Amino acid sequence: MGHHEGFSWLAYTQLLDSALPIGGFSHSFGLETLVQEERLERPEQLREYIEAMLVHSWAPVDALAVKAVYRYVPEQRWEDLWQVDCTQHVQRSASETREGVAKMGRRLYQLARSVYPDLGWEPLAGALARRECIGTHPLNSRLALLWAGRTAGAGGRRVPRTPAR
């Protein structure tokens, strides 16, 4: 992976777009099950669920992936990065959450790689093929954002390829 000068806000914002077709808004991460089992019925229970997800999942687990990407990628410490991905995956207690972040990660990887094939996906592609990492959404989203934010073109411009349908 080469480091390029400049920054592509277009590439960055495209990967942050809520309309990105990776299923992020179709996964309930256990919330649907709680509602179906009538264990979550009132607004204050929903607030407690969201707070619990923030405190016990999103902040410590997803943030760990963000930190790991920015810490290990510049030094190409791929094995350390894959270990964080695997560790954080098994730390998720709800199976719906584990399955959701893995599916979203795979979809994001496929989409981002087809739109930005020249971003240096080889380390991740190899690790996925060898099953050295899960390729969860927190890991893949940070890698994609980090790599898409760098451009090979002059002036910080990059026009992404349209993915094949």
Side-chain angles (χ1 to χ4, degrees):
M1 176 189 94
H3 292 280
H4 306 291
E5 296 297 320
F7 184 83
S8 171
W9 283 106
L10 174 62
Y12 188 76
T13 55
Q14 285 174 325
L15 291 172
L16 288 176
D17 190 344
S18 63
L20 190 67
I22 62 167
F25 294 98
S26 66
H27 293 285
S28 70
F29 301 105
L31 180 60
E32 184 177 1
T33 301
L34 292 173
V35 171
Q36 288 172 348
E37 294 175 354
E38 298 179 355
R39 294 171 44 201
L40 194 149
E41 299 178 302
R42 297 184 312 280
E44 58 272 6
Q45 290 173 312
L46 177 60
R47 181 184 50 77
E48 290 170 5
Y49 169 83
I50 292 170
E51 288 174 354
M53 288 295 288
L54 283 169
V55 170
H56 300 293
S57 180
W58 298 330
V61 180
D62 292 3
L64 179 60
V66 173
K67 179 180 178 180
V69 166
Y70 289 100
R71 181 176 183 187
Y72 296 138
V73 169
E75 300 171 7
Q76 297 186 6
R77 292 174 50 190
W78 305 116
E79 293 80 16
D80 292 330
L81 189 57
W82 311 148
Q83 183 63 44
V84 168
D85 186 50
C86 291
T87 300
Q88 74 168 355
H89 184 68
V90 300
Q91 288 177 336
R92 298 180 190 280
S93 58
S95 63
E96 294 96 336
T97 303
R98 283 192 305 276
E99 293 167 12
V101 295
K103 284 180 185 177
M104 288 170 48
R106 286 191 298 270
R107 290 178 184 148
L108 177 62
Y109 168 72
Q110 291 167 349
L111 180 65
R113 190 166 183 184
S114 70
V115 175
Y116 301 103
D118 60 337
L119 289 183
W121 296 102
E122 294 79 18
L124 180 58
L128 289 169
R130 293 183 303 273
R131 296 179 180 232
E132 294 174 354
C133 72
I134 306 297
T136 61
H137 184 262
L139 173 79
N140 290 351
S141 65
R142 292 313 120 195
L143 286 172
L145 291 173
L146 176 67
W147 292 337
R150 298 181 177 144
T151 71
R157 292 182 305 255
R158 172 189 301 259
V159 178
R161 285 185 7 179
T162 303
R165 295 192 189 266

